Amino acid sequence: MEVADVSRFLAETTPFDQLSDSELSQLSAQINVFYCQAQGKVRIDSDRLLIVRTGIFSLYSDQQQLLTKLQSGDFYGYQQLLTGLVDNDTLLCEEDGLIYYLDAKAFHQCRYQYKNIDIFFQRLFSRRLHQYRDQQQNTRFTLKISDIIQQHKIAIAPEKTVQDAAKLMSDSRVSSLLVEEKDKLVGIITDRDLRNRVLAEGLPASTQVGHVMTRQPHSIDRHAYLYEAVQQMSQHNIHHLPVLEHGVCCAMISATDIIRSQQDHPVYLIGEIHRQQSVAGLERCSQQIAALAITLNKQQVPAHEAGHVITTITDALTQRLIYLAKQQLGEPPCVFSWLAFGSQARMDQSLNADQDNALLLEKEPIGAVEDYFSALAEFVCHGLAQCGITLCPGNIMATNPELRLSLKGWSGRFTRWIATPTPEAILKSSIFFDLRVIDGSKGLFNALQQDILQRTTGAPLFLYHLAQAALQRTAPLGLFKNFILEQDGKYKKGLDLKKRGISLLTDLVRVYALSAGITEVNTRRRLQQLAAQGIIDSKDSQNINDAFDLMAQLRWEKHQRDLMQGHDVSNLLDPVDMSGLARHQLKDGFAVINEAQGRLKQRFCRDM
């Protein structure tokens, strides 16, 4: 066995690709190599880790059910090594190959020495799909100092006068100065020092800065978290901190800087949206969304929370546009509800979401009622488009007369979909079953939603067709756990995380929720309620939730890269751009989809 050859293979195999060359050589020297012939049984009853180098191997349960196929880079035996429990599995070689064995002592030593490797195998064993990186608190103050300071400093020498200091502050539009002597920080002087130590004491303008400055000021490293700066300022009742990098002063951070850093927080942006008096003003507000998304990503805010933030901003834009429309058109002739469907209803909008909306009216849309709400829909939908939320290519918008209906009209439409479903009608209508009121009457909306759920809970034929629609597409995973790539219109290849991942989970969870009469439309909260009611096994619910979070996270991070690189935001992810760890996770996520679809078919399509 060539140790160098084994090392090269491990260097390309997650999680060992995190080791140095010398560490890989030491590990490789402890590995034994076995050649396996096709149709031969592989010995797996010993206490060691099996690593597939080449070939294809089929793993069967004690009931002779095919569990999975192992190929290059896959593992077996970590289950027994981690728990001490033996599975009565059978591993057959389908295609000639090589297997590496790592004995238990070396495996455990590697786990204990390298935390990331231990985490990898623990997660692989539990088949849980949470992100492996450390999760930080999801607050504004997980920003770092370096994220908000400008990389320059404004300094003055201690022998300069306070008049010089005041003029420099005024010219530079700052409230404090670093005081440096031979490029070494010796103090700071602030506008408060000038008030309290100079003017209040009656000192002349010729007083030297060194006589009134704050000596040996508190400081902070530029790589520290923002909350650490807040803590220091609060603890010492100060408003300015010199910022150091490698012990050298590089900038100053003030309480004002911290406050200013909050201005792209959703609370501030939403408040600003609701103060606008024109569509142009809302358009300016919407231009801050991309910067906010980048900030959320820097804070490591999870994708599902970021989706909630993005949706809340879309809601605010919609509500303000309705307000501005009413200012222009006058008060509406009847009570109405502005409805959202799809991702906005579920509150999991992405950065490239388009519009899906409609109007629910108290009165029939005829005459003056129709004229008014037609004009309102035009104002709002085109206003949203001006704010970057594109018009729906499928015309699922309130500007479509067929989507401006009374309660009776909407009830009749849902009744037809539910009572006399057809595959084509269900494919077109499934998006409407995720709905939420954005503005207007909640009572009117509640009446419609209750009417819908009363009909879906006792409609096996409808649920059959809805389940069949949810099974039309499958996860892009081949027989041997290879990714199946597809092309978009620009001839790029990759995995469509929305169409072949997130949407598949959303679709199957919707079937269960409608069968149980659950009013919640958010996918994660639907899963929680389904598990709480025992409709879905709690473990299955958690696996689906983890897969959903994983794919949403990968899509969110892909969108961030697109933003940073100035590209169009796309859902198509090239596996080449993923780490080995992420590829393992995504394969597990797609396997969860396949299993969940199998259970959906068994439950809703068996007797039809």
Side-chain angles (χ1 to χ4, degrees):
M1 178 190 72
E2 290 288 340
V3 171
D5 183 53
V6 178
S7 294
R8 281 192 293 272
F9 173 73
L10 293 180
E12 298 175 353
T13 303
T14 306
F16 303 112
D17 55 358
Q18 302 175 48
L19 301 180
S20 67
D21 290 344
S22 61
E23 291 165 342
L24 285 170
S25 295
Q26 292 175 15
L27 182 64
S28 300
Q30 302 178 74
I31 281 179
N32 295 311
V33 183
F34 288 83
Y35 171 71
C36 301
Q37 287 186 319
Q39 307 309 312
K41 183 183 290 188
V42 181
R43 183 184 172 191
I44 58 175
D45 58 351
S46 59
D47 196 16
R48 56 189 176 178
L49 179 72
L50 177 156
I51 310 170
V52 178
R53 171 65 191 267
T54 60
I56 297 173
F57 300 82
S58 295
L59 183 67
Y60 292 89
S61 70
D62 56 354
Q63 304 296 320
Q64 294 306 301
Q65 178 184 3
L66 178 63
L67 299 175
T68 188
K69 288 183 180 284
L70 305 181
Q71 57 182 347
S72 181
D74 286 334
F75 305 96
Y76 183 83
Y78 56 86
Q79 305 94 324
Q80 180 179 345
L81 289 167
L82 293 174
T83 66
L85 301 176
V86 179
D87 291 323
N88 295 318
D89 297 335
T90 302
L91 188 63
L92 295 179
C93 180
E94 301 287 352
E95 182 182 287
D96 290 2
L98 291 177
I99 283 179
Y100 290 165
Y101 282 119
L102 182 67
D103 67 36
K105 181 179 179 182
F107 174 77
H108 291 304
Q109 181 180 356
C110 191
R111 283 177 53 217
Y112 299 146
Q113 189 172 357
Y114 307 106
K115 187 64 175 177
N116 286 342
I117 290 178
D118 181 46
I119 291 174
F120 174 85
F121 283 106
Q122 293 284 356
R123 300 286 182 164
L124 196 60
F125 170 69
S126 64
R127 293 200 63 206
R128 297 292 294 275
L129 306 170
H130 293 302
Q131 295 297 302
Y132 295 170
R133 63 179 154 187
D134 292 335
Q135 293 296 320
Q136 299 176 346
Q137 296 179 26
N138 300 318
T139 70
R140 167 64 53 178
F141 297 122
T142 54
L143 282 173
K144 291 188 174 181
I145 304 295
S146 56
D147 291 325
I148 71 168
I149 62 166
Q150 295 182 351
Q151 194 63 15
H152 72 276
K153 60 184 179 183
I154 304 172
I156 194 169
E159 64 268 20
K160 292 290 187 177
T161 68
V162 292
Q163 183 173 8
D164 294 330
K167 187 175 187 309
L168 182 56
M169 285 187 197
S170 179
D171 291 344
S172 303
R173 304 183 68 180
V174 295
S175 59
S176 63
L177 299 173
L178 299 162
V179 184
E180 291 188 339
E181 191 170 30
K182 296 180 180 179
D183 293 326
K184 181 180 179 182
L185 181 69
V186 294
I188 65 171
I189 185 167
T190 70
D191 54 2
R192 187 164 65 171
D193 293 331
L194 294 179
R195 290 195 309 270
N196 296 343
R197 298 178 182 177
V198 179
L199 292 175
E201 296 296 326
L203 297 181
S206 58
T207 302
Q208 289 188 337
V209 167
H211 291 154
V212 296
M213 68 183 182
T214 299
R215 298 178 182 275
Q216 297 180 330
H218 297 281
S219 62
I220 194 163
D221 189 88
R222 74 184 297 266
H223 299 294
Y225 288 108
L226 200 57
Y227 67 76
E228 294 176 271
V230 174
Q231 183 183 34
Q232 278 209 51
M233 290 180 182
S234 300
Q235 181 181 356
H236 302 294
N237 192 28
I238 56 179
H239 299 86
H240 302 82
L241 279 174
V243 179
L244 308 181
E245 184 169 26
H246 306 302
V248 178
C249 190
C250 62
M252 180 90 83
I253 186 171
S254 69
T256 302
D257 295 326
I258 294 174
I259 293 171
R260 189 178 297 119
S261 75
Q262 310 296 296
Q263 297 305 306
D264 60 353
H265 189 283
V267 170
Y268 289 89
L269 181 54
I270 289 168
E272 190 67 17
I273 286 170
H274 282 290
R275 285 190 289 270
Q276 298 307 307
Q277 297 298 323
S278 67
V279 177
L282 292 174
E283 183 182 7
R284 286 192 295 272
C285 288
S286 68
Q287 291 167 358
Q288 300 178 46
I289 295 174
L292 170 62
I294 291 170
T295 300
L296 293 172
N297 189 50
K298 285 181 179 178
Q299 293 179 265
Q300 297 190 11
V301 171
H304 67 88
E305 292 187 13
H308 192 103
V309 169
I310 299 300
T311 307
T312 303
I313 293 170
T314 302
D315 289 355
L317 289 168
T318 305
Q319 291 158 1
R320 194 59 182 176
L321 283 164
I322 291 172
Y323 171 85
L324 294 176
K326 289 194 291 186
Q327 291 289 304
Q328 179 175 304
L329 299 172
E331 285 302 307
C334 68
V335 171
F336 71 95
S337 301
W338 184 277
L339 306 180
F341 304 116
S343 62
Q344 187 180 359
R346 295 188 302 270
M347 299 205 75
D348 60 11
Q349 273 194 311
S350 60
L351 292 171
N352 59 349
D354 58 19
Q355 297 181 44
D356 294 304
N357 50 53
L359 275 164
L360 168 63
L361 309 176
E362 181 188 30
K363 297 180 180 179
E364 293 299 325
I366 55 177
V369 173
E370 167 61 12
D371 293 343
Y372 181 93
F373 286 107
S374 174
L376 183 138
E378 287 287 332
F379 187 98
V380 175
C381 291
H382 289 285
L384 287 170
Q386 196 169 326
C387 292
I389 304 163
T390 57
L391 298 173
C392 175
N395 202 23
I396 302 177
M397 295 180 294
T399 49
N400 181 348
E402 295 184 4
L403 299 182
R404 295 193 301 270
L405 302 174
S406 66
L407 178 59
K408 181 180 178 181
W410 276 113
S411 180
R413 179 163 295 183
F414 277 101
T415 298
R416 288 192 295 275
W417 287 330
I418 296 166
T420 55
T422 64
E424 182 181 2
I426 290 295
L427 279 174
K428 291 180 178 179
S429 66
S430 60
I431 189 176
F432 294 100
F433 287 90
D434 295 345
L435 69 165
R436 182 169 62 89
V437 60
I438 306 302
D439 199 26
S441 172
K442 290 186 179 180
L444 198 60
F445 166 77
N446 290 339
L448 175 62
Q449 187 181 44
Q450 289 302 316
D451 182 66
I452 294 168
L453 293 177
Q454 286 175 6
R455 298 179 190 279
T456 60
T457 51
L461 182 61
F462 164 74
L463 295 171
Y464 166 83
H465 283 294
L466 194 66
Q468 288 284 17
L471 298 171
Q472 290 297 307
R473 291 173 294 170
T474 58
L477 200 61
L479 179 62
F480 303 130
K481 295 185 76 174
N482 292 318
F483 290 129
I484 301 173
L485 305 185
E486 56 188 284
Q487 281 188 182
D488 67 5
K490 297 180 180 177
Y491 305 103
K492 294 179 181 178
K493 285 190 174 182
L495 303 165
D496 192 319
L497 293 171
K498 179 182 178 182
K499 186 171 68 175
R500 301 293 295 275
I502 296 169
S503 291
L504 301 187
L505 292 169
T506 298
D507 290 346
L508 68 90
V509 172
R510 180 191 300 117
V511 179
Y512 285 103
L514 291 176
S515 73
I518 290 174
T519 58
E520 184 57 66
V521 294
N522 176 268
T523 300
R524 300 176 90 253
R525 291 197 286 270
R526 274 176 167 171
L527 280 167
Q528 291 169 3
Q529 292 191 21
L530 289 166
Q533 295 180 26
I535 296 164
I536 293 182
D537 178 79
S538 59
K539 183 179 178 181
D540 292 339
S541 173
Q542 186 63 62
N543 282 338
I544 293 171
N545 190 86
D546 290 344
F548 183 82
D549 282 352
L550 169 68
M551 293 172 200
Q553 189 67 37
L554 290 173
R555 179 177 68 161
W556 172 245
E557 292 171 356
K558 169 64 166 59
H559 288 178
Q560 298 303 310
R561 291 194 295 273
D562 290 341
L563 279 179
M564 298 293 287
Q565 296 168 7
H567 298 160
D568 291 338
V569 174
S570 167
N571 297 320
L572 206 65
L573 176 64
D574 189 339
V576 173
D577 297 331
M578 301 167 62
S579 68
L581 192 57
R583 285 195 293 272
H584 270 280
Q585 288 179 285
L586 190 54
K587 285 182 179 181
D588 268 353
F590 287 149
V592 166
I593 291 176
N594 290 338
E595 293 166 4
Q597 287 185 323
R599 288 189 292 273
L600 184 78
K601 184 176 181 180
Q602 177 72 11
R603 180 157 184 168
F604 292 99
C605 305
R606 181 177 54 185
D607 300 327
M608 291 291 174

